[in-house]
Amino acid sequence: MEAQQTIWCDEDDHRLYEFYTDFNEWLDGDEGQDLRQQYGIDGLNQPSKAFYAGDKEAYDEAFRQYRIERRHEVLNQTWLQEQFGGDHWFERNHDHFMQLIDCMAAGQVVPFVGAGISASARFPSWKEHLREQGRTAGIDPANIETLLSSGAYEAVVDQIEHERGIDVFTQEIRDVFSRTHAIPEVVWRISELFKDTVITTNYDRLLEQAYDTGKENAVQVINGVTALQQANPLAVTIYKLHGDVQQPARCILSKNQYDQAYGEGGLDLNRQIPKLIAYHYKNISLLFLGSSLNEDRTVQVFRAIKASLGYAEVLQHFAIEQAPEDEAELADRNAYLAALGITQIWFERGQFAYVEGVLRQAKNELSHRGVFPGIDPSAADSATDVHLHPDTDFSDYLRDFVDLMPL
């Protein structure tokens, strides 16, 4: 009987070659020419594959060095060393990044997307948008600036609503955030890495556009303002906490609307948006992207939930955030985030491209482990799996789930 024919990738060790796509592409490209020449593989049709099959030990050593260099680059080693002296803050960055990768590999991370991500697509920051709102409404710019400088963003909305009516404000929301912009790389990375749930405070439709594969019901948008419907396990669920530009009249904009959503005279954790935030904070690791994490309403929820847990261990949450340039300020910010249960990964102030770089490296690190987001080769129905932290109190999980069920 003729022996069954096999191909190169049928061998177990050779199949692992596919785990190192980023390195293989680098090695086969212009940047890898010196290494190809060093090992005598330059000019071959697929140098990386020949290198892997012909000298696995040398391949592994070259990959190890490549991996170290890429981590150092995306985790801002050079800038952190020059800015603060020594390796202290870079080592913290590296440790925190690897902790994030461990959580992502276990399927325990949900992104929490803020306005900074929309800014990468040329949408205005909320502060910039309020200036535009003031101009459209004919409000004295000096008055607007006074309110903005004090952080009274909700008061700007209140003034426009009082003097011009809320319809002027909602029309401006529709005009600005309904625009179609090119989807930035950082949003594509989010859509590649997270195939189940995304939470956002943004009104625009960048995330929906990135996740739209053309397949019917591929994306489910749940508007935190109007309802807490049950998530569809077969779709990517996008929770839009403060509303959707397609329904601008239902967006949370003014102080009165924030009070209704989060509680008048103080935080009310029984209201649906705080309840939704608290549910995810307690049961999954959040990754904050483009979120200011200052004293806004969502941060108040995080603080209240963490305080309510007392000495119970809080799940580790993460933020990719620009670093203060003064070390004392950096230490203060580090402590502030730690008090919220958030572990930070720092990048140089103003260099927002590093956020995409960290996510790209995260994707590569997962691939090196044989983890491909959205694909579980061991189970065809893995898309419906629910991943809980091993220390999660299941009774609390069930109680929260029942609380969230729609009436």
Side-chain angles (χ1 to χ4, degrees), residues 142-260:
N143 189 20
I144 296 291
E145 288 303 320
T146 299
L147 293 172
L148 293 178
S149 63
S150 64
Y153 294 178
E154 295 171 11
V156 175
V157 183
D158 287 341
Q159 182 173 353
I160 295 172
E161 182 178 4
H162 176 72
E163 296 189 19
R164 296 296 191 183
I166 195 62
D167 291 337
V168 171
F169 201 99
T170 55
Q171 180 59 48
E172 188 76 0
I173 287 282
R174 183 184 290 111
D175 290 345
V176 173
F177 291 103
S178 293
R179 296 169 185 162
T180 300
H181 296 298
I183 300 174
E185 286 297 316
V186 65
V187 176
W188 287 123
R189 295 287 174 238
I190 293 170
S191 69
E192 290 173 343
L193 284 166
F194 304 102
K195 300 295 188 179
D196 184 75
T197 303
V198 183
I199 302 170
T200 183
T201 54
N202 298 341
Y203 308 117
D204 61 65
R205 308 208 33 101
L206 275 177
L207 290 168
E208 293 93 312
Q209 292 165 10
Y211 278 104
D212 185 4
T213 62
K215 180 181 176 182
E216 186 177 1
N217 299 322
V219 180
Q220 176 190 25
V221 176
I222 296 181
N223 190 328
V225 178
T226 57
L228 286 175
Q229 66 197 83
Q230 188 172 356
N232 177 1
L234 300 180
V236 176
T237 301
I238 302 175
Y239 289 100
K240 306 194 83 167
L241 294 180
H242 295 161
D244 187 341
V245 71
Q246 290 193 332
Q247 297 177 306
R250 292 182 173 179
C251 290
I252 297 177
L253 303 167
S254 66
K255 182 179 184 301
N256 180 54
Q257 290 169 320
Y258 272 97
D259 287 344
Q260 290 177 1

Side-chain angles (χ1 to χ4, degrees), residues 358-372:
V358 172
L359 294 181
R360 177 169 19 91
Q361 186 63 23
K363 180 186 177 184
N364 292 335
E365 294 286 347
L366 291 171
S367 176
H368 302 159
R369 299 185 185 193
V371 178
F372 301 92

